[in-house]
């Protein structure tokens, strides 16, 4: 009898728990299902969520074979994922496994600070497993974080029901910014956007310790999870939202005590968040100050200038001007390079933007927050639309260091929030016919007609101009033959007709709402499904999923060079620099978005001035000035000898009579036998503080790095030095050198000088001199000595102290709050 009675009780308990967890399971299942539809093959390992087909591009990585010649890149615009992001992740895997946090990488620029968000939860997850399968699962984790945050924000802040919040949570991870920037670190910062807005709302309304703690934690996560300029934009959005919350909660009752408590709680949360993230932020800010790219931005250079009103249609028709994908062609307006950096990244669904989101204005209780979303969306698009006044503000010093075109993610979130409120109005049956319904309906009618017209009559030159050019034998970028043209034309027509179909569905929806006093339940269900289907159609196939066999296969020539011995390499207009680290080779070129200015100036002295130079990557395609005498005697500029460039890599067939030192497939390489070892002792040392004169002397063909070294700081003049030095031990952040000098002299390490490095000579701290404009040197007395270099930047030390102090302060704050049993607004009040 007990067992019989026990079973129903257990079953009731199980049912209660199932019912309680059911909504959460539905929410999570929708987020996971959306990602599985898009990236399922990569989740199970049959594909890799990387554009590995780009490695088959000419002069990039894969050898030219009949198989690789058939590979056509999916989308050239996302090349950074395979040239920079994935090699950095592979380096991180090795560092974490060695028990070190990545901080200094030796594989580019003669060494540089690690700029990727090594403390980000998403980056740590990616770096936990070497297999690239983890990339798809990290994307899944990011989508779950974004979706859950959106759901909680809609439920707790917008106060909408389960289904509107759930649909918003399903949709936001599928919007344009996350789809276009998939795999890039910057999405990590935006993933915490709904969480930090939720924390701001709680801090303003409650003004207690736990709310400020949540704001501090989310602020820190925003800062450490992605690129600092995008993180700054997320914090800017949170600041605007804080102003809205303060005005909405307290109105004009200033300076009332509760309003002041709210302000102090929000400011304290942000401040503590900055302190928590200081161990990542301070070293990165310190490094960017040495950068050529940041210097030019500070001087007013704009890599991505405003576009104008031509960018507005892309917010609802993202493929209006085509794309850089294989199935399309770019017909972008002047100034736009690709879709990633355009207003198309604000795409949240045509139906969401022009059908459901406007219905939010039917809610009186959401009127204030709706106005905020409208203002935020306008500000987020102001740069790409070239809005006078707003653009001038964004060009102010400090703000001009950000890429304001990426702020469009805020417009996307605003549309999703309005959509959640609009769905709430539909479900509640609170939608009543209003005159302004004609505005979005008319917009849809105009777009419907435009899409049908463009589906039948393609834009020029795609309609006829390209065909005439091909028939005349001209080379047309992106389109190599008539067959490719026909496929692109068909895809353009299809995309326009699909967009027209969505516009037609939106028009039908407005007609039903106009003539029916209450939206039927089937319409609400259909609209919810259409919102998700719209975004899935938009996102499907945009991210390349490639054969794992293309994942950085071993290159015989690079393996031979790796076994040949110490020495840096340089490609002759081939092999982008970060790809060399796939074979543990160090390149003097680099690509990290910073471009350390002194190293760049030094490298340019020995490089071909006609080689391609991109403003965002000055050395990525840099080629050295070479002098090759048959059968294979290679001469480089003395500066490259000094930097230890021992191998130059070429692609294609060697010239007649040339006997390469290494060859295989379509790779071949020559050895520069004049290259100095990485650590050496020059015969003489001179002081020279004038940078212009120093660069002039270093740039001379008569410069001999073995004979003389120039230092900026005054030292005792060393007329003749004899001795040798060699590297005994090395990790990325520690180098041990054994020096044997017959006389006192200068031991030079041809790694990039950085103020984060310290040196100890036989255990005694010594000064590191900046030698020959950009490399390191230490004065060493006669005799045998051990010289140890360690990467210990003061910015990191201060950052760790700040983060530790902030953590202790937060713990103490919570303890006092708990012990006192009352609300507090700041640690000072406690």
């Amino acid at each position: 009898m007990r067992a019989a009675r026990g079973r129903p009780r257990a079953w009731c308990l199980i049912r209660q728990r199932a019912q309680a967890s059911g909504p959460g399971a539905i929410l999570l299942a929708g987020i996971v299902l959306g990602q599985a539809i898009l990236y399922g093959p990569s989740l199970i390992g049959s594909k890799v969520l990387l554009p590995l087909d780009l490695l088959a591009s000419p002069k990039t990585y894969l050898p030219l074979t009949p198989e690789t010649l058939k590979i056509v890149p999916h989308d050239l615009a996302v090349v950074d994922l395979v040239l920079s992001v994935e090699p950095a992740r592979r380096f991180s895997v090795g560092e974490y496994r060695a028990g070190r946090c990545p901080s200094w990488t030796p594989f580019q620029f003669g060494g540089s600070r690690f700029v990727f968000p090594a403390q980000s939860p998403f980056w740590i997850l990616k770096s936990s497993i070497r297999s690239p399968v983890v990339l798809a699962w990290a994307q899944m984790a990011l989508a779950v974080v974004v979706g859950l945050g959106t759901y909680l924000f809609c439920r707790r802040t917008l106060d909408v029901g389960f289904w509107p919040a759930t649909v918003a949570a399903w949709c936001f991870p599928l919007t344009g910014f996350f789809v276009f920037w998939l795999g890039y670190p910057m999405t990590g910062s935006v993933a915490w956007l709904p969480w930090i807005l939720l924390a701001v709302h709680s801090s303003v309304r409650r003004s207690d310790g736990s709310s400020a703690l949540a704001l501090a934690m989310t602020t820190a996560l925003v800062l450490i999870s992605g690129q600092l300029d995008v993180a700054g934009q997320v914090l800017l959005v949170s600041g605007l939202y804080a102003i809205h919350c303060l005005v909405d909660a307290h109105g004009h009752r200033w300076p009332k005590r509760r309003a002041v408590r709210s302000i102090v709680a929000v400011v304290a949360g942000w401040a503590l968040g900055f302190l928590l993230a200081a161990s990542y932020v301070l070293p990165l800010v310190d490094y960017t100050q040495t950068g050529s790219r940041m210097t030019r931005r500070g001087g007013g250079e704009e890599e991505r200038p405003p576009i104008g009103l031509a960018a507005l249609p892309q917010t609802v028709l993202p493929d209006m001007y085509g794309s850089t994908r294989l199935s399309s062609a770019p017909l972008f307006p002047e100034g736009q390079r690709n879709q990633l950096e355009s207003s198309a990244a604000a795409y949240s669904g045509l139906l969401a933007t022009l059908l459901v989101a406007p219905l939010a204005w039917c809610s009186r209780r959401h009127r204030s927050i709706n106005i905020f979303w409208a203002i935020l969306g306008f500000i987020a698009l102001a740069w790409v639309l070239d809005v006078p006044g707003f653009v001038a503000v964004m060009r102010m010093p400090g703000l001009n260091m950000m890429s304001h075109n990426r702020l469009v993610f805020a417009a996307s979130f605003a549309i999703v929030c309005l959509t959640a409120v609009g769905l709430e109005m539909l479900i509640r049956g609170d939608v009543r016919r209003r005159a302004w319904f004609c505005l979005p309906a008319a917009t849809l009618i105009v777009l419907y007609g435009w899409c049908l017209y463009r589906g039948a009559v393609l834009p020029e030159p795609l309609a006829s101009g390209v065909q005439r050019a091909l028939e005349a034998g001209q080379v047309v970028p992106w389109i190599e033959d008539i067959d490719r043209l026909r496929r692109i034309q068909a895809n353009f027509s299809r995309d326009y007709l699909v967009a027209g179909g969505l516009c037609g569905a939106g028009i039908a929806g407005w007609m039903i709402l106009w003539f029916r006093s209450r939206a039927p339940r089937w319409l609400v269900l259909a609209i919810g499904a259409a919102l998700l289907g719209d975004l899935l159609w938009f996102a499907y196939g945009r991210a390349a999923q490639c054969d794992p066999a293309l994942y950085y296969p071993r290159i015989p020539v690079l393996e031979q060079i790796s076994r040949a011995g110490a020495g840096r390499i340089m490609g002759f207009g081939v092999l982008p620099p970060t790809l060399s680290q796939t074979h543990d080779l160090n390149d003097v070129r680099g690509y990290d978005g910073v471009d350390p200015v002194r190293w760049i100036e030094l490298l340019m002295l020995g490089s071909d001035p006609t080689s391609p130079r991109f403003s965002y990557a000055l050395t990525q395609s840099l080629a050295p000035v070479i002098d090759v005498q048959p059968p294979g005697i290679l001469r480089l500029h003395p500066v490259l000898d000094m930097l230890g460039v021992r191998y130059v890599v070429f692609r294609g067939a060697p010239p007649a009579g040339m006997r390469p030192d290494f060859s295989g497939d379509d790779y071949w390489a020559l050895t520069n036998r004049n290259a100095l070892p990485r650590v050496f002792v020059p015969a003489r040392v001179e002081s020279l503080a004038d940078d212009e004169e120093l660069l002039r002397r270093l740039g001379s063909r008569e410069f001999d790095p073995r004979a003389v070294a120039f230092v900026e700081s005054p030292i005792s003049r060393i007329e003749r030095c004899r001795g040798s030095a060699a590297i005994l031990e090395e990790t990325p952040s520690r180098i041990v050198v054994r020096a044997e000098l017959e006389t006192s002299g200068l031991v030079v390490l041809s790694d990039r000088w950085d103020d984060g490095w310290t040196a100890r000579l036989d255990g005694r701290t010594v000064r590191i001199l900046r030698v020959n404009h950009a490399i390191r040197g230490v004065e060493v007395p006669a005799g045998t000595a051990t010289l140890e270099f360690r990467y210990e930047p003061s910015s990191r030390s201060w950052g760790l102290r700040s983060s530790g102090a902030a953590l202790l302060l937060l713990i103490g704050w919570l303890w006092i709050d708990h012990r006192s049993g009352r609300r507090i607004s700041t640690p000072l009040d406690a």
Side-chain angles (χ1 to χ4, degrees):
M1 291 297 293
R2 290 181 182 176
R5 286 196 300 268
R7 281 194 295 269
R9 290 176 183 174
W11 173 248
C12 289
L13 183 60
I14 292 172
R15 281 191 64 185
Q16 289 174 359
R17 291 183 176 178
Q19 290 172 354
S21 61
I26 292 172
L27 168 65
L28 190 61
I31 299 171
V32 170
L33 180 61
Q35 299 298 306
I37 291 173
L38 298 179
Y39 318 118
S42 296
L43 289 169
I44 62 176
S46 62
K47 297 288 185 180
V48 176
L49 192 56
L50 277 174
L52 298 171
D53 46 16
L54 289 167
L55 296 178
S57 300
K59 301 182 179 182
T60 300
Y61 186 80
L62 294 177
L64 294 179
T65 64
E67 291 75 21
T68 57
L69 287 173
K70 297 176 183 177
I71 299 174
V72 181
H74 178 81
D75 188 351
L76 295 178
V78 293
V79 68
D80 288 0
L81 289 175
V82 291
L83 295 192
S84 179
V85 179
E86 182 60 11
R89 186 194 72 87
R90 288 160 58 99
F91 172 72
S92 291
V93 172
E95 287 295 278
Y96 282 123
R97 289 187 176 183
R100 299 184 295 266
C101 181
S103 57
W104 183 270
T105 173
F107 294 112
Q108 61 175 2
F109 293 133
S112 64
R113 300 197 189 192
F114 190 77
V115 299
F116 290 87
Q119 300 176 23
S120 164
F122 306 114
W123 188 268
I124 293 173
L125 174 59
K126 289 181 180 180
S127 302
S128 62
I129 300 173
R130 187 170 184 81
S131 169
V133 174
V134 74
L135 299 174
W137 287 101
Q139 171 61 25
M140 178 72 78
L142 185 142
V144 169
V145 169
V146 174
L148 291 179
T150 304
Y151 173 81
L152 292 174
F153 182 82
C154 291
R155 290 285 279 164
R156 298 182 180 180
T157 302
L158 301 182
D159 193 24
V160 299
F162 170 76
W163 283 110
T166 297
V167 172
W170 290 348
C171 288
F172 190 45
L174 304 175
T175 53
F177 188 87
F178 291 106
V179 170
F180 287 131
W181 292 105
L182 182 143
Y184 287 84
M186 66 193 66
T187 58
S189 292
V190 182
W192 301 106
L193 174 64
W195 294 93
I196 193 172
L197 296 186
L198 183 62
V200 165
H201 184 270
S202 179
S203 297
V204 172
R205 299 288 179 176
R206 295 172 55 188
S207 307
D208 61 0
S210 59
S211 299
L213 170 62
L215 180 56
M217 294 296 293
T218 51
T219 298
L221 286 168
V222 166
L223 289 168
I224 68 174
S225 294
Q227 293 183 193
L228 281 187
D229 63 336
V230 176
Q233 291 171 338
V234 173
L235 294 177
L236 177 63
V237 173
S238 73
L240 295 174
Y241 185 65
I243 294 172
H244 160 76
C245 290
L246 288 166
V247 173
D248 189 56
H250 304 293
H252 300 288
R253 295 171 291 178
W254 304 92
K256 198 170 182 179
R257 182 180 178 184
R258 185 170 177 81
V260 173
R261 283 161 59 96
S262 296
I263 294 173
V264 175
V266 171
V267 173
W270 281 330
L272 288 175
F274 270 96
L275 290 176
L276 285 171
S279 59
Y280 167 70
V281 173
L282 291 184
L284 187 57
V285 171
D286 190 27
Y287 178 44
T288 56
Q289 292 176 351
T290 70
S292 170
R293 192 176 183 184
M294 296 299 105
T295 301
R296 297 196 309 273
R297 276 196 188 182
E301 179 180 307
E302 292 177 357
E303 296 176 2
R304 308 171 188 94
I307 303 300
L309 286 177
L312 183 60
Q314 287 180 287
T315 58
V316 290
L317 299 176
D319 295 319
M320 178 176 178
Y321 301 118
S323 70
T324 52
R325 290 186 296 155
L326 174 63
S327 60
S328 186
L331 303 177
F332 302 140
E334 185 178 356
Q336 181 179 320
R337 282 207 312 256
N338 52 52
Q339 280 185 300
L340 283 71
E341 306 281 7
S342 74
S343 57
Y347 186 70
S348 305
L350 189 147
L351 293 177
T353 306
L354 295 176
L355 175 60
V356 184
L359 298 177
W361 296 95
C362 295
S363 174
R364 289 184 177 275
R365 67 187 179 96
H366 290 95
R367 191 65 53 84
S368 175
I369 189 66
N370 290 344
I371 292 173
F372 171 75
W373 296 132
I375 294 173
L376 178 62
F378 177 78
I379 294 173
L381 294 170
W383 177 267
V384 292
L385 298 181
D386 198 12
V387 178
F390 287 89
V391 169
V393 171
M394 293 175 176
R395 284 173 171 157
M396 292 175 61
L399 290 177
N400 64 353
M401 305 302 285
M402 298 181 180
S403 299
H404 295 298
N405 57 292
R406 297 173 184 172
L407 185 58
V408 296
F409 67 80
S412 182
F413 186 71
I415 293 171
V416 168
C417 290
L418 289 170
T419 299
V421 177
L423 283 174
E424 177 76 359
M425 294 299 99
L426 281 173
I427 292 174
R428 288 178 174 269
D430 290 340
V431 175
R432 298 292 183 267
R433 182 170 59 188
R434 291 170 171 81
W436 58 260
F437 282 11
C438 297
L439 294 177
T443 303
L444 282 168
I445 292 171
V446 171
L447 290 176
Y448 176 74
W450 172 258
C451 289
L452 292 185
Y453 169 74
R454 273 293 175 227
V457 181
L458 295 174
E460 290 292 350
L462 201 60
S464 59
V466 173
Q467 182 171 342
R468 289 195 299 268
L470 291 173
E471 291 173 347
Q474 300 177 16
V475 176
V476 179
W478 303 94
I479 305 174
E480 64 275 5
D481 53 38
I482 296 295
D483 288 340
R484 174 79 184 279
L485 172 63
R486 294 287 181 259
R487 291 195 297 272
I488 291 175
Q489 289 174 333
N491 288 330
F492 257 82
S493 295
R494 181 204 61 193
D495 290 343
Y496 272 113
L497 293 176
V498 169
L502 290 172
C503 291
I507 295 169
W510 282 115
M511 291 180 66
I512 294 173
L513 294 174
W514 183 266
F515 291 108
R516 295 284 296 269
S517 59
R518 185 182 180 92
R521 178 167 294 184
W522 65 264
L523 178 63
V524 177
L525 294 175
I527 288 177
L531 294 179
L532 192 59
D534 181 356
L535 289 173
L536 286 172
W537 170 264
F538 157 75
Y540 190 79
R542 288 189 184 268
Q545 300 182 80
C546 295
D547 186 344
L550 298 178
Y551 185 75
Y552 305 104
R554 306 299 291 179
I555 305 298
V557 165
L558 299 183
E559 288 189 314
Q560 294 169 26
I561 294 174
S562 182
R563 292 192 298 265
R568 294 191 173 109
I569 75 167
M570 192 171 183
F572 189 74
V574 303
L575 190 66
T578 49
L579 293 181
S580 61
Q581 72 183 68
T582 58
H583 291 69
D584 296 324
L585 295 171
N586 297 352
D587 201 314
V588 289
R589 302 169 300 165
Y591 177 36
D592 65 358
V594 176
D595 282 350
V597 62
R598 283 184 170 272
W599 185 269
I600 299 296
E601 290 172 344
L602 195 62
L603 196 58
M604 292 299 181
L605 297 176
S607 302
D608 186 349
T610 64
S611 55
R613 299 181 187 180
F614 308 103
S615 61
Y616 54 88
L618 291 174
T619 66
Q620 182 169 316
S621 300
L622 206 63
V625 174
I626 62 172
D627 178 18
V628 181
Q629 300 294 329
I633 301 174
L634 176 67
R635 293 285 186 271
L636 299 178
H637 192 281
V639 160
L640 299 183
D641 294 342
M642 176 190 72
L643 297 180
V645 179
R646 188 166 182 79
Y647 309 103
V648 177
V649 179
F650 303 83
R651 296 287 298 270
M658 185 70 65
R659 292 201 298 270
D661 298 298
F662 311 94
S663 63
D665 297 323
D666 68 326
Y667 276 82
W668 57 283
L670 296 175
T671 301
N672 173 29
R673 290 170 174 79
N674 286 331
L676 272 71
R678 192 164 150 209
V679 58
F680 61 93
V681 179
R684 184 164 53 89
V685 181
E686 292 185 13
S687 298
L688 181 58
D690 187 337
D691 284 342
E692 291 187 6
E693 175 63 17
L694 175 57
L695 288 173
R696 188 189 67 79
R697 293 196 189 185
L698 295 175
S700 170
R701 280 283 186 177
E702 305 303 317
F703 169 62
D704 184 356
R706 294 174 175 82
V708 62
F710 300 100
V711 296
E712 298 177 351
S713 305
I715 62 171
S716 55
R717 188 179 181 89
I718 303 174
E719 292 294 344
R720 188 66 184 172
C721 177
R722 294 185 300 276
S724 63
I727 295 176
L728 296 181
E729 302 175 33
E730 180 179 6
T731 66
S733 56
R734 179 176 177 268
I735 302 171
V736 178
V737 174
R738 182 75 168 177
E740 297 180 356
L741 274 67
E742 298 178 24
T743 65
S744 61
L746 186 72
V747 174
V748 177
L749 177 67
S750 60
D751 288 6
R752 192 178 67 83
W753 185 94
D754 186 280
D755 60 6
W757 283 90
T758 61
R760 295 176 178 84
L761 184 64
D762 291 332
R764 177 174 53 88
T765 300
V766 292
R767 179 179 55 160
I768 300 180
L769 301 170
R770 184 153 51 198
V771 179
N772 292 344
H773 193 62
I775 60 178
R776 306 177 213 160
V778 173
E779 286 186 87
V780 177
T784 300
T786 299
L787 179 62
E788 181 183 21
F789 293 91
R790 284 184 178 271
Y791 182 61
E792 298 172 335
S794 59
S795 56
R796 185 175 66 183
S797 300
W798 280 107
L800 289 171
R801 294 190 189 103
S802 300
S803 298
L807 186 60
L808 291 175
L809 182 59
L810 286 172
I811 294 172
W813 185 358
L814 286 177
W815 183 80
I816 294 173
D817 188 29
H818 174 72
R819 294 285 294 179
S820 63
R822 61 182 178 83
R823 287 188 172 186
I824 59 173
S825 59
T826 68
L828 295 177
D829 290 340

